[in-house]
């Protein structure tokens, strides 16, 4: 209604009929089981839960109710397979052996509020949507004519938002090239129930946590790139917040490590906690590769130290003079810090010096004279 006032439903399909105790607030969405044309072009709407009748227009006032059109959903995002039993009477519902309300009941029943997963949806007579349970134990239905809504779809989309770590245009172009080959420097965050969650070392919160929130696709300090649909979580919002609350105590800002415990690792852990699986490997494999290289570098350094500690005392006295010559050959002094190439230069200098000394010896002179005589005879 344009006046912003609530609408009291009627007990009968008549604007002048008695008002019930139920009232609908402006913007409230409700489900209808029957539409009935009245006088003056009014369409009366019987609420599916049996609470009474509303109407689309009121003569002299204007539009009261409009048909609800769900928001457009990305065609690439599958609808949620999760449903919840929500009957108002609080009684359990028994699954049917076939997609028919009048079909024989099975041994399976659900309590109000219980969540279940569906493998097939099939539209039946009287516009009833039948729901084939994932474990093939029977069929449920979204509405029951004359009773109202029985089951509602549970939608809790989980989306992985990807950002470029480099925000400069050149850096982003490089990241695009890396993305094409399955890697890149990315910031990752997870959106669930309309809130984006991530992890960092510069957003230390209460208790030292590195977990922080922001509006979806708007994390400061990074350039938004793309979003990936991860699935629908079967967890209710309260359970999700409780789970993230526990993670906040485990993911501390002080523990942030660019290789081993960063935002991508947090996003992966959160997605698995939400039961939608691991994030794509290309989001996190650059830090993984960097970690491997860092580990290899550390291993080589440790190996070098081990070799030095074991071999040094044995070959040190012989090697030291050679390294000193190498340092002098590059313009340094024997007391300078060791650099790669000092030993090789020292070896070359040592060989040249020894060769020069050899050529100056008496034995070398005699050998030279014999060689010259031989050459003269040959000529």
């Amino acid at each position: 209604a344009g006046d912003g006032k609530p609408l009291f439903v009627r007990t009968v399909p008549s604007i002048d009929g008695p008002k019930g105790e139920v009232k609908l607030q402006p913007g409230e969405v409700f489900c209808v089981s029957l539409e009935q044309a009245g006088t003056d072009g009014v369409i009366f709407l019987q609420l599916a839960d049996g609470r009474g009748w509303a109407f689309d227009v009121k003569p002299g006032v204007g539009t009261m109710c409009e048909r609800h059109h769900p928001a457009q959903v990305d065609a690439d995002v599958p609808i949620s397979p999760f449903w919840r039993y929500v009957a108002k009477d609080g009684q359990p519902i028994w699954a049917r052996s076939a997609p028919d309300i009048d079909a024989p009941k099975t041994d399976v029943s659900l309590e109000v509020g219980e969540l279940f997963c569906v493998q097939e949806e099939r539209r039946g007579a009287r516009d009833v949507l039948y729901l084939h349970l994932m474990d093939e134990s029977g069929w449920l239905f979204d509405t029951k004519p004359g009773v109202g809504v029985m089951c509602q779809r549970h939608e809790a989309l989980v989306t992985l938002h990807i950002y470029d770590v480099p925000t400069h245009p050149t850096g982003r172009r490089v990241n695009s090239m890396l993305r094409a080959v399955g890697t890149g420097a990315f910031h990752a965050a997870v959106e669930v129930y309309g809130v984006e969650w991530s992890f960092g070392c510069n957003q230390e919160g209460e208790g030292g946590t590195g977990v922080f929130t922001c509006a979806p696709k708007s994390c400061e300090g990074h350039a938004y790139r793309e979003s990936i649909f991860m699935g629908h979580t079967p967890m209710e919002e309260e359970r999700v917040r409780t789970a993230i609350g526990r993670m906040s105590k485990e993911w501390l800002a002080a523990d942030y490590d660019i290789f081993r415990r960063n935002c991508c690792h947090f996003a992966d852990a959160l997605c698995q906690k939400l039961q939608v699986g691991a994030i794509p490997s290309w989001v996190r494999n650059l830090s993984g590769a960097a970690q491997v290289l860092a580990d290899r570098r550390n291993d080589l350094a440790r190996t070098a130290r081990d070799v030095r500690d074991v071999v040094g005392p044995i070959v040190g006295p012989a090697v030291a003079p050679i390294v000193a010559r190498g340092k002098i050959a590059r313009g340094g002094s024997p007391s300078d810090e060791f650099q790669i190439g000092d030993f090789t230069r020292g070896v070359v200098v040592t060989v040249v010096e020894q060769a020069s000394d050899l050529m100056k010896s008496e034995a070398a002179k005699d050998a030279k004279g014999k060689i010259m005589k031989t050459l003269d005879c040959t000529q």
Side-chain angles (χ1 to χ4, degrees):
D3 60 6
K5 296 181 180 179
L7 169 65
F8 283 88
V9 301
R10 307 310 199 248
T11 58
V12 294
S14 171
I15 293 178
D16 299 325
K19 296 179 179 180
E21 297 180 355
V22 176
K23 58 183 178 181
L24 302 173
Q25 299 296 333
E28 185 174 349
V29 178
F30 57 94
C31 189
V32 171
S33 60
L34 178 64
E35 299 180 13
Q36 182 175 313
T39 58
D40 299 325
V42 177
I43 297 178
F44 291 96
L45 313 167
Q46 185 179 36
L47 275 61
D49 56 11
R51 293 182 295 169
W53 294 79
F55 35 91
D56 66 339
V57 296
K58 186 176 182 179
V61 177
T63 301
M64 304 298 291
C65 300
E66 293 179 335
R67 193 177 301 278
H68 174 64
H69 297 283
Q72 294 294 319
V73 178
D74 190 334
D76 295 331
V77 178
I79 61 174
S80 172
F82 298 106
W83 286 74
R84 190 179 302 280
Y85 176 49
V86 295
K88 298 295 183 181
D89 61 8
Q91 299 298 313
I93 184 174
W94 295 86
R96 306 305 198 258
S97 59
D100 185 347
I101 292 178
D102 297 324
K105 297 178 180 179
T106 68
D107 295 332
V108 175
S109 65
L110 277 73
E111 299 294 333
V112 173
E114 191 168 345
L115 192 76
F116 58 94
C117 192
V118 169
Q119 64 169 282
E120 180 187 356
E121 299 178 9
R122 186 183 303 180
R123 186 68 65 179
R126 295 177 288 183
D127 205 35
V128 175
L129 185 65
Y130 290 96
L131 313 168
H132 194 192
L133 297 176
M134 183 63 73
D135 60 6
E136 300 187 352
S137 59
W139 294 78
L140 297 176
F141 33 90
D142 67 337
T143 60
K144 187 174 183 179
V147 176
V149 176
M150 305 296 289
C151 302
Q152 290 180 337
R153 192 184 302 277
H154 170 80
E155 293 184 299
L157 186 67
V158 178
T159 306
L160 180 69
H161 295 308
I162 307 298
Y163 298 80
D164 286 318
V165 171
T167 57
H168 190 276
T170 301
R172 297 196 69 189
R173 285 195 293 271
V174 172
N175 226 24
S176 295
M177 291 186 288
L178 292 173
R179 170 70 177 89
V181 296
T183 188
F186 302 111
H187 170 75
V190 178
E191 178 188 353
V192 59
Y193 287 112
V195 179
E196 181 173 308
W197 299 87
S198 192
F199 172 70
C201 60
N202 297 323
Q203 295 85 5
E204 185 171 340
E206 183 178 353
T209 184
V211 177
F212 65 96
T213 65
C214 68
K217 304 180 185 179
S218 59
C219 184
E220 295 183 0
H222 304 294
Y224 171 76
R225 167 174 285 273
E226 61 185 293
S227 297
I228 301 172
F229 166 69
M230 294 298 297
H232 293 272
T233 178
M235 299 170 65
E236 297 176 343
E237 185 172 3
E238 184 177 351
R239 285 185 59 205
V240 168
R241 290 187 176 276
T242 299
I244 295 177
R246 293 196 185 100
M247 293 182 70
S248 297
K249 298 177 182 178
E250 301 169 355
W251 292 77
L252 303 180
D255 295 334
Y256 182 91
D257 184 285
I258 193 171
F259 295 147
R260 296 174 174 80
R261 196 173 178 82
N262 59 31
C263 58
C264 296
H265 296 106
F266 173 80
D268 185 58
L270 179 53
C271 282
Q272 295 194 55
K273 181 77 70 175
L274 297 174
Q275 302 176 40
V276 293
I279 67 174
S281 59
W282 59 264
V283 177
R284 48 190 166 84
N285 64 9
L286 184 63
S287 62
Q291 177 183 334
V292 171
L293 290 176
D295 290 343
R296 292 286 176 83
R297 182 191 62 192
N298 293 334
D299 289 343
L300 288 173
R302 283 193 296 269
T303 301
R305 287 195 298 269
D306 292 343
V307 170
R308 180 193 63 194
D309 293 342
V310 174
V311 180
I314 301 174
V315 302
V319 171
I322 297 176
V323 172
R325 292 190 182 96
K327 293 177 181 179
I328 295 171
R330 61 175 167 82
S333 67
S335 60
D336 289 347
E337 289 291 329
F338 174 80
Q339 293 183 8
I340 294 176
D342 285 346
F343 178 75
T344 304
R345 291 190 196 93
V347 169
V348 172
V349 170
T350 300
V351 170
V352 169
E353 288 177 353
Q354 291 180 354
S356 177
D357 292 341
L358 178 62
M359 294 302 296
K360 293 177 182 178
S361 66
E362 292 298 327
K365 291 180 181 179
D366 292 343
K368 180 178 178 181
K370 292 179 180 178
I371 292 172
M372 296 303 296
K373 288 181 180 180
T374 304
L375 289 174
D376 291 338
C377 293
T378 304
Q379 292 174 355

